[in-house]
Amino acid sequence: MSEKKKGKVTESEEERNLQVSYIFPNGDRYGECCGSTEGVVVRRGMGKHTSASGVTYTGEWHDDKMNGRGTLEHPSGALYEGDFKDNMYHGTGTYSFSDGTKYCGSFSKNRLEGDGEFTDSQGLVWIGGFHNKAAPGLKLKLSM
C-alpha cells in the first residue's frame, strides 16, 4: 500500500490537501491526498485506503505509510485495531482473528511481542509474554 503516484501540484511549493479520491492502477482507492513539492500525491493525515482485494485501512498516515492509530479490516473478518509504524502493527493493539479468537497486547514489526492476553475460541483468557509465534508460560486468567 505504499505506492506513490505523480499528480499535478502546481499552485504552491508547499504541501496542500487535495479533496480527491485517488484510484491506483491496481484498483486500490484512497480518499483525501496531499501533494508534495515534488508533485507526488501522498497519503497523509487521517484517511481511508481500500485495496482491490478488499482490505481496508482507516486511520493515520504519515510519509505515505500507515503510521499512528488505525484499523485494518480483512475480507476474512480478521481485524486489527491499534498502533501502526511503517505499514506494520507496532505498539499496542488488538487483533481479532476470523475464528473468533483475539490477542490484545504488544506488537513489534507485525509480530506478537511482549505482554498480552489471548482469548481462545472457548472464551478462556490466557495472559503472559508473547514472542512471535511462541508464548511460553501463559497463565489462565481466572474470572472471580
Side-chain angles (χ1 to χ4, degrees):
M1 286 194 236
S2 63
E3 274 182 63
K4 292 184 181 179
K5 297 292 165 212
K6 292 283 183 186
K8 292 186 179 185
V9 180
T10 56
E11 293 180 8
S12 169
E13 288 297 312
E14 297 180 22
E15 291 187 352
R16 64 185 177 87
N17 286 333
L18 304 173
Q19 301 296 319
V20 297
S21 179
Y22 193 88
I23 302 172
F24 293 88
N26 68 357
D28 289 5
R29 297 176 173 270
Y30 182 77
E32 186 175 321
C33 297
C34 183
S36 71
T37 57
E38 297 85 30
V40 176
V41 175
V42 296
R43 293 164 288 193
R44 190 175 124 219
M46 290 298 292
K48 181 177 180 177
H49 181 109
T50 303
S51 74
S53 64
V55 176
T56 301
Y57 172 77
T58 305
E60 297 177 68
W61 294 83
H62 182 70
D63 291 336
D64 209 37
K65 294 181 180 177
M66 297 179 289
N67 278 301
R69 298 288 297 171
T71 301
L72 188 68
E73 298 177 67
H74 297 272
S76 67
L79 173 76
Y80 174 79
E81 296 177 278
D83 298 327
F84 287 83
K85 182 177 179 187
D86 295 331
N87 289 335
M88 292 185 279
Y89 312 143
H90 195 84
T92 303
T94 299
Y95 192 98
S96 301
F97 297 86
S98 58
D99 66 0
T101 59
K102 179 172 69 171
Y103 169 81
C104 298
S106 298
F107 289 81
S108 179
K109 297 180 180 178
N110 277 349
R111 297 173 187 244
L112 311 180
E113 192 64 46
D115 292 334
E117 292 187 357
F118 179 78
T119 305
D120 67 22
S121 58
Q122 297 174 340
L124 298 174
V125 179
W126 300 87
I127 59 173
F130 291 78
H131 305 287
N132 192 13
K133 295 180 181 178
L138 286 184
K139 294 184 173 102
L140 182 60
K141 183 177 179 180
L142 299 175
S143 302
M144 294 196 185

